[in-house]
């Protein structure tokens, strides 16, 4: 064979035995070894063509191990699941390293501007005025990072972003008709916001976001997310909505501080405030909170939470016109998408006592995001159906 290093002839040297882990247990085989005398480079062409991993797994076992490592609560459970379902025995650390290798491969594709499967145009669902609406979302999610020496790492934020086409809101649907399924593609990793922008735009372009009449960006308040949405999806009529889940969680915390030790009363109060927010919007809810008959002597927790909530509502009221959004037939972020977003990485990364190295968390985020994306994305990666980079316009 031709030596890939120096283009000289690399001669056949020997047949070398190797043992693999296959779906059917250990598998011994021999493959030809070629060696280049000029540059000292040796290789096994069969292993490369067959996609044998450096950890002696067949491609099928690699795929299963990644699935188990990605969907289970821990790599240890992943190894157990693998043994239960396929009688494949791998150590916890092999499941972990294999999953992380795959995550790095996914990230490398994205980094090169490559996506999985062919470009498509989603049939964007329509709002109350018949406009086809495309949604993007981005949210930061806390992961506990482990830095050198076990110190908490400064690290980049873990983001979950996505482009999605939710079913029409309930009041726009035909009664008795099952809603079309949610279509969503996710992106997640420890990125800087500037890095995330082009990746998300490319993901959106791949599903035909340009063809939608209206774009809606759902984000949390603060930490540059509104600016991120404006910069990356800056159509003049871009609609920015504060993902309802976030102000609702402020109200829940406030209700708990008001009724410490009475979970039921706190829950009822939180629900009443959330209803008010949904029906009357952020500005009015803020006015109600300001005029509330608070106890004369507030606890420290209540004082702090009230101040945080008022600030948050004051800063984001322009994105909390929920009754208007409802009348337009738009989604406000609670429900299926919000929960899907949380499950992309939240469940797996935030488990009790979990601490992650930055590289490991970044890799796992990619596995989770691809796995949770609409059907076909995960499969396209494994079938190596990669769409190479095409020019993506900076939308200006
Ligand atoms: Zn050579």
């Amino acid at each position: 064979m031709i030596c890939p290093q120096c283009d000289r002839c690399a001669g056949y040297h020997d047949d070398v035995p190797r043992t693999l882990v296959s779906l059917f247990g250990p598998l011994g085989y021999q493959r030809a070894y070629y060696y280049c005398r000029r540059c000292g480079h040796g290789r096994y062409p069969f292993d490369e063509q067959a996609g044998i991993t450096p950890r002696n797994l067949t491609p099928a076992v690699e795929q299963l191990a990644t699935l188990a490592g990605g969907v289970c609560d821990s790599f240890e459970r992943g190894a157990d699941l693998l043994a239960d379902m396929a009688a494949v025995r791998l150590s916890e650390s092999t499941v972990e390293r294999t999953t992380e290798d795959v995550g790095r491969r996914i990230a490398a594709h994205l980094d090169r501007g490559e996506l999985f499967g062919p470009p498509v145009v989603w049939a964007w669902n329509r709002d109350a005025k018949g406009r086809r609406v495309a949604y993007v979302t981005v949210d930061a999610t806390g992961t506990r990072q482990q830095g050198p020496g076990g110190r908490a790492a400064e690290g980049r934020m873990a983001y979950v972003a996505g482009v999605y086409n939710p079913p029409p809101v309930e009041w726009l649907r035909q009664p008795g008709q099952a809603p079309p399924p949610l279509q969503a593609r996710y992106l997640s990793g420890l990125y800087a916001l500037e890095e995330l922008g082009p990746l998300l735009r490319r993901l959106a372009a791949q599903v035909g976001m340009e063809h939608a009449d209206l774009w809606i960006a759902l984000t949390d308040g603060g930490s540059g997310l509104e600016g991120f949405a404006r910069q990356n999806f800056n159509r003049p009529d871009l609609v920015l909505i504060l993902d309802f889940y976030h102000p609702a969680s402020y109200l829940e915390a406030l209700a708990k501080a008001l009724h410490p030790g009475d979970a039921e009363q706190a829950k009822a109060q939180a629900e009443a405030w959330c209803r008010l927010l949904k029906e009357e919007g952020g500005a009015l809810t803020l006015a109600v909170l300001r005029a509330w008959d608070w106890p004369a002597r507030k606890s420290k927790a209540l004082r702090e939470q009230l101040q945080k909530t008022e600030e948050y509502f004051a800063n984001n009221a322009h994105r909390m016109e929920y009754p208007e959004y409802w009348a337009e037939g738009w989604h406000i972020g609670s429900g299926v998408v919000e929960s899907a977003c949380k499950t992309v990485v939240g469940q797996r990364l935030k488990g009790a006592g979990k601490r992650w190295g930055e590289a490991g968390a970044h890799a796992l985020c990619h596995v989770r995001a691809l796995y949770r994306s609409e059907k076909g994305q995960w499969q396209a990666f494994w079938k190596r159906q990669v769409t190479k980079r095409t020019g993506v316009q900076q939308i200006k």
Side-chain angles (χ1 to χ4, degrees):
M1 67 175 292
I2 306 218
C3 172
Q5 301 283 305
C6 68
D7 279 343
R8 290 292 187 89
C9 179
Y12 166 76
H13 193 71
D14 201 0
D15 278 357
V16 181
R18 187 185 192 189
T19 304
L20 296 176
V21 178
S22 81
L23 280 183
F24 313 102
L27 198 66
Y29 71 113
Q30 300 199 5
R31 75 280 202 236
Y33 177 63
Y34 294 80
Y35 181 76
C36 173
R37 286 184 190 284
R38 185 160 184 260
C39 69
H41 190 80
R43 61 192 300 189
Y44 301 95
F46 173 82
D47 288 358
E48 293 165 26
Q49 286 159 15
I52 307 301
T53 78
R55 303 183 207 285
N56 298 321
L57 308 183
T58 63
V61 172
E62 182 190 41
Q63 187 175 345
L64 271 193
T66 305
L67 191 58
V71 301
C72 287
D73 293 343
S74 67
F75 295 116
E76 187 187 2
R77 279 175 174 267
D80 292 344
L81 182 74
L82 212 50
D84 287 345
M85 294 191 75
V88 172
R89 294 187 194 286
L90 296 181
S91 71
E92 178 188 346
S93 73
T94 301
V95 172
E96 174 171 357
R97 290 193 190 121
T98 301
T99 306
E100 290 175 0
D101 284 349
V102 169
R104 275 189 280 278
R105 242 154 59 208
I106 296 169
H109 279 297
L110 298 181
D111 191 45
R112 289 194 295 268
E114 296 167 355
L115 293 163
F116 309 110
V120 293
V121 177
W122 280 349
W124 301 101
N125 288 309
R126 293 172 189 271
D127 67 6
K129 292 187 179 137
R131 291 167 294 198
R132 292 163 300 172
V133 185
Y135 291 81
V136 289
T137 183
V138 59
D139 196 3
T141 181
T143 60
R144 270 170 287 185
Q145 303 291 318
Q146 186 149 33
R151 278 167 288 134
E154 287 287 314
R156 295 166 296 172
M157 290 296 288
Y159 286 104
V160 181
V163 51
Y164 62 100
N165 182 25
V169 293
E170 209 175 337
W171 69 271
L172 281 175
R173 280 185 236 143
Q174 302 288 337
Q177 210 174 40
L182 165 82
Q183 289 175 291
R185 294 191 185 186
Y186 299 109
L187 185 66
S188 180
L190 275 62
Y191 287 107
L193 269 180
E194 311 86 80
E195 299 170 309
L196 196 66
L199 298 179
L200 187 58
R201 289 206 306 274
R202 230 172 264 140
L203 197 71
Q206 180 88 344
V207 294
M209 192 168 169
E210 274 300 329
H211 295 261
D213 304 310
L214 188 73
W215 290 355
I216 294 179
L218 275 147
T219 70
D220 189 6
S223 52
L225 294 180
E226 183 176 345
F228 170 86
R230 284 195 192 283
Q231 201 182 351
N232 286 287
F233 298 94
N234 61 349
R235 278 187 180 178
D237 57 352
L238 174 75
V239 178
L240 287 151
I241 297 180
L242 188 72
D243 196 330
F244 189 81
Y245 160 76
H246 295 287
S249 63
Y250 275 83
L251 294 175
E252 279 157 22
L254 186 62
K256 269 184 200 158
L258 179 61
H259 299 290
D262 191 340
E264 228 158 82
Q265 225 184 332
K267 188 165 175 273
Q269 185 58 71
E271 280 169 5
W273 280 335
C274 285
R275 206 176 315 120
L276 180 73
L277 177 59
K278 204 173 261 183
E279 288 169 5
E280 302 292 345
L284 194 130
T285 305
L286 178 59
V288 167
L289 291 181
R290 283 186 171 148
W292 198 262
D293 185 18
W294 299 105
R297 299 194 58 179
K298 298 190 203 67
S299 69
K300 182 162 176 274
L302 178 58
R303 255 193 342 264
E304 286 176 358
Q305 188 57 39
L306 182 59
Q307 195 198 342
K308 268 199 273 184
T309 307
E310 284 187 10
E311 263 174 36
Y312 187 83
F313 274 60
N315 289 337
N316 293 291
H318 62 292
R319 298 195 281 152
M320 299 164 80
E321 314 272 13
Y322 296 114
E324 274 180 42
Y325 310 147
W326 186 84
E328 297 276 5
W330 298 335
H331 287 265
I332 58 171
S334 53
V336 63
V337 171
E338 177 250 313
S339 59
C341 240
K342 268 201 285 187
T343 57
V344 168
V345 296
Q347 278 179 354
R348 183 65 168 85
L349 260 61
K350 282 191 197 168
K354 291 224 176 74
R355 283 194 164 269
W356 293 89
E358 193 170 308
H362 186 64
L364 188 72
C365 281
H366 285 85
V367 170
R368 297 278 310 174
L370 191 62
Y371 176 68
R372 298 289 314 203
S373 291
E374 69 169 335
K375 196 171 174 183
Q377 285 291 287
W378 179 255
Q379 292 77 5
F381 167 76
W382 290 102
K383 289 181 185 159
R384 302 181 199 181
Q385 291 164 343
V386 173
T387 304
K388 300 279 181 205
R389 178 176 202 152
T390 52
V392 173
Q393 274 178 289
Q394 162 85 54
I395 307 151
K396 285 216 162 131

